Structures are given as structure tokens and as C-alpha cells.
Amino acid sequence: MNDIYIKEGEKRELKISPFGIYINQAGYSPLSTKIAVMPFECSDFAVVNEKGEEVFNGKTDNFGYDKNSGDYIYKADFSSFSEKGSFRIKAGGKSSALFAVGEDAYEPVLKSVLKAFYYLRCGSGLSEKYAGVYKHAECHNSTAYLWGDESVTKDVSGGWHDAGDYGRYVTAGACALAHLLFGFELFGGLKNTVFDIPESGNGIPDILNECRVELEWMIKMQREDGGVYHKATTALHAPFVMPEDDKAKMYLFPVSSMAVADASAVFALASRIYEPYDKAFSDKLRECAERSYGWLKANPDFIGFRNPEGCNTGGYGEWEDRSNRFWASCELYALTGDEAYHKDLKALINEDFSLSGLGYVDVGGFGSLSYILSTRNKDKAIEEKMTSAFMENADWLRKIADSCGYGVAMDEGHYHWGSNMTAMKNAMIFIIADRLSGENKYRPYVERLYDYLMGLNALGISYVTGCGEYRCNYPHLRPAHADGIEECIPGMVSGGPNRTPGDHDAKILILEGTPPMKCYADEAGCYSLNEITIYWNSPTAFVLSYLNEK
Ligand code: 9MR
Ligand code: ZN
């Protein structure tokens, strides 16, 4: 069953790119900045079309040693090349993968990355009409029992599978929803992005149709008193079977204050966003947001989460809940304009957490964004503090990018479990800084991070399934393995290089001393390198929505 893992004594080689020159394999828009990286010495490069004819050429730049890739690299800047079509870079007898230049460089990838959420839907099953060969039957619809007190039962069907596992976790879901909903708020183009889901054409933007799936589930995770269960999972991670074949008993796990705060925040954010589309749903979300906020006021102490004995599914533990509570008060203030929430956020802002954090642990940046975008009566000093947090973060990241041969704003410490989320979150910081300053100076830094995800990296690999000539195809994703189909479900963002591999197979495959950018293997067993999650897809969707704005 679990034949994905390396067996004792088994020799398994790391795959390497058949291409020696690295570019963004998803393609470029004509006006974008364009860089190719050659990890070998060469003085000239050429762009050739599909017939092999040279259409552009130039001189390379010798960057020298790049510490995160461990390579001596030469760079080719072909930004001024804007001809439309499909091309390769050639230099020193080597070639890049195929890439396109065209106006529609981003839209197909954006749609694919959004459609991934549909493929991760739990409960309803995926029909052939929308999922094609990746269809599957209904899953995880059985009643859930509260761990430790099975007299408490609840229907918590629905939502999205979190990741390569079939668990459903509130804080992870809230984070993914925040990326998607803020993306919707900031980038008007998303209103018209249709990605072929059962609700398409119902008069509501598809991204809101898709987010509603997760929101409806999160509402079910809420108790009468506003407490929100931390997660709904089986006791143990399922083997590599299709979701409908995972029949183990479903459990609810105790309320954590992070889950309550994040749910309250995201209910309020969603209430604001769905208001013009579905007043009744928006009202319901508002009521849920307020109810959970009430629980937070009645329970001021931190209630963390640790897996109880006998459970090995995701923990999503945190050490404090200040940023979570802050985010909730910011969202409720933005939604209601009630000064009581304003007072709360003004008190919480003095606590020690990042005001620009956009991940599932540090959610302070969502609070800041909500406050900054809000039209409510604002305290200028507070708004300034939040804006500065984003600007300073962007400035720090710019320096990192400028010292990297690939031009990516990723320092050594960023190559951790789920590093591709950090790459995309860093791109979000640049985007937000540009929006706040009204300048557009960080766009090339966003382009580099996106290029990095799509193949401009030391392994020359595209980290999005189904996209690029040399791409990851074997992520740690249960249905992708169990369905027996060679081509992986498309649009899934792999976790990416991790310089401190955390699973058995990665520890075997990634040799000691491997440079951070190369600590990756496209192996299904390597969950600390090659899993997928909703909150790695969501910042990618945010970044693509920005790039796709005309
Ligand atoms: O994304 C999480 C990563 O930041 C942590 O280092 C890691 C170990 O705790 O867990 C990751 O989250 C996993 C979750 O616990 C269960 N679903 C899959 C997630 C991605 O690997
Ligand atoms: Zn399911």
C-alpha cells in the first residue's frame, strides 16, 4: 500500500533536469523582465524559436558564486525581447526548457492554481464533468466524534482537504481563505476569473464560489458558544488510498483560541466581501464572526493545541494567540465600525508579533491589511505603524534578492518546510508595499519569485504540477498516488526545498551539505519537501492575480 516510501536497502537516485539552463517554464508576458540562469561559464546566449532559428541574442553577466544554490552562475537578461511565441534559451551547447511569451502568460496558471481547490474539495465528491479523470466519490461524510468525549457528535462534512493528507484544520483554512479573499479585494480581475467548477455561471465570482465551500465547513466547526474546534481528522493519517476509501472514524479536536480567533477574523472578512453577492450568507457570516469574538472575550487566556496521544494528524500548534486575536479585532472593526473592536486592536498592537505576517502562525499582516484597506475612522499613528511594517519588510527582502544570483528574495532561513509558501508570501509583501506606496518598483522582485516557482531555480524545476516541460509530478498527495494516473492532478504547488529535511526519505535523499535551494526531491514519500497544501496554493493565486492584472 505505502510503496511510495524508500525500502530498506533500496537505492533511489534523485531526478535531475534534462535542461542545463533555467527559466520560467510557465512563460512571460511581453513586458515582464526576463532572466535566464546558466550554472556554467558562457559569454553569449541566444533565444531560438521552435524551428531552432535565432531570434535574439546577447551577452551574459558573470554573477559569480551564489551561496543558496552553491553554483557559479552566469545570467542572461532578455527583458527587451518581447516577441510572442514559444522559445528556448541556448548557450554553451546547452538549452533551456520551452517557454512562451504572450499576453496570456499568467491566466492559465492562475486558473489551474485556483482549480486545485476544487480538486481538494471534501465531502461532495468530484464529478467527471469538472474533474475528468481525477473524479472521485463522496468522502469523509460520516459523523465526527469529539476526541475525549464521544457523547459530543457533529456533522462537519465539506471544506477542502488540507494537503496531501485528508485532514481539515481551521487555522490552515483561515489562512488560505485570507490570501484568496484579500486577493479578491485587491485585484479586480479575479471577479471574472472562471475556472470551471460546478457553480460557474451562477452570477457569483468563481473564487467566491470556491471559498464558500471552506467557509460553510468552518461554520460547521463552530459551537453554539462561538468556540471553534481546532481540526476534523481521523486519528491517524490515512494510507495512500482514494479519499472515499478512507473510512476511519472522524474526530473533532478540542477548541483552540487560535482557531476561534482565525475563524472569527475570516468570517468577518468574508461577511464584508460576500455582502454584495449574497446578503443572507454575509449576515450569517457576520453573526458567526461576532459569536466567536464573544467567545474570545469570555476566554482571554491562550488555549493552544497539541495532538493527544493516539493521534498523528497535523498539529498546527502555536505558542501564543496575540496575532490571531489582533486579526479578529481588525476584521470586526472593519466590518462593523464598532469602537469596542478598535479599542481592542489598539491594545493588542502593542504585543510582540509581526504586523506583516501572512502565514498560518503569524496572521498579524492580515489584520494590518484589513485596517489599512478599511474606510472606517482610523488612528493615523496605528495605520502608519502597519504600513511601515510592510515597507520595512519589503526593503529587507529587496536586499536579500539583490544578493542572490537568481534574484529571489529568499535567504538561507527561508528554505524550510513549505519554502514555496515563503517565496509566495515574500512576493505578497512586495505587492502590498507597491500598493501602499503607489509605486511599482517591486514588480521585478515579484516576477523573480514567481519565475523561481516556475523553474528559475537551481534544479530548473517547475514546482506546480501540470505546468512546465520539467515539472514536479509526484507530490505527497494521497489521491494523486492512489488514482493510478501517471500525470498528477494539475495546479498543485509543491512545498519546495527544505534545508532541514524532516522525513525519513528526504533524510536519505538529501545529502549533508546540499545547498538550500537544492534540498528538494520530487518524491511522494518526501512530505517535508514535496507535499502540497491549500495555503501554499493560496499565496500563489494572490501573486498570479496581481501579475495577471492588465
Ligand atoms: O505546513 C506545516 C509546516 O510549516 C510544519 O513545519 C509541518 C510540521 O509541523 O507541518 C506542516 O503542516 C502539515 C500539517 O501538519 C498537516 N497537513 C499537511 C501540512 C503540510 O505538510
Ligand atoms: Zn474528504
Side-chain angles (χ1 to χ4, degrees), residues 185 272 330 333-335 368-378 383:
E185 193 166 30
R272 180 169 95 229
C330 290
Y333 181 56
L335 179 66
S368 301
L369 209 48
S370 164
Y371 193 80
I372 293 167
L373 296 174
S374 157
T375 51
R376 300 289 174 194
N377 176 31
K378 284 187 274 191
E383 191 173 10

Side-chain angles (χ1 to χ4, degrees), residues 102-143:
E103 304 293 353
D104 62 348
Y106 307 115
E107 190 141 317
V109 197
L110 170 62
K111 287 184 176 180
S112 175
V113 163
L114 287 170
K115 177 80 181 253
F117 290 90
Y118 167 74
Y119 286 120
L120 291 169
R121 283 190 195 185
C122 183
S124 55
L126 306 182
S127 70
E128 185 161 9
K129 179 152 193 255
Y130 299 100
V133 290
Y134 306 111
K135 68 177 183 206
H136 69 75
E138 294 179 5
C139 57
H140 304 115
N141 280 336
S142 64
T143 299

Side-chain angles (χ1 to χ4, degrees), residues 162-163 165 169 237 314-316 360 417 527 531 533 535-536:
D162 179 55
D165 66 316
Y169 310 84
H237 278 310
Y316 290 113
Y360 73 84
W417 191 320
Y527 52 85
E531 190 163 354
T533 75
Y535 54 90
W536 300 339

Side-chain angles (χ1 to χ4, degrees), residues 156 166-168 217 221 230-234 250-253:
V156 289
Y166 293 132
R168 289 164 294 151
W217 165 74
M221 292 294 281
H230 189 72
K231 62 175 178 176
T233 76
T234 50
M250 186 59 64
Y251 287 99
L252 277 168
F253 289 82

Side-chain angles (χ1 to χ4, degrees), residues 515-534:
M517 213 194 279
K518 289 180 175 159
C519 292
Y520 173 77
D522 181 23
E523 290 283 343
C526 296
Y527 52 85
S528 70
L529 315 176
N530 202 28
E531 190 163 354
I532 66 99
T533 75
I534 50 174

Side-chain angles (χ1 to χ4, degrees), residues 66-82:
D66 175 64
K67 80 174 165 33
N68 286 334
S69 64
D71 290 330
Y72 287 89
I73 63 180
Y74 283 71
K75 294 171 80 162
D77 186 335
F78 58 110
S79 302
S80 60
F81 176 72
S82 56

Side-chain angles (χ1 to χ4, degrees), residues 222-275:
Q222 189 185 45
R223 286 192 317 210
E224 271 300 304
D225 68 348
V228 179
Y229 296 112
H230 189 72
K231 62 175 178 176
T233 76
T234 50
L236 303 173
H237 278 310
F240 269 61
V241 296
M242 289 301 283
E244 61 269 39
D245 297 328
D246 176 23
K247 304 269 195 215
K249 190 167 176 178
M250 186 59 64
Y251 287 99
L252 277 168
F253 289 82
V255 169
S256 72
S257 52
M258 302 90 73
V260 183
D262 289 5
S264 175
V266 89
F267 287 150
L269 166 61
S271 175
R272 180 169 95 229
I273 289 185
Y274 284 79
E275 214 245 359

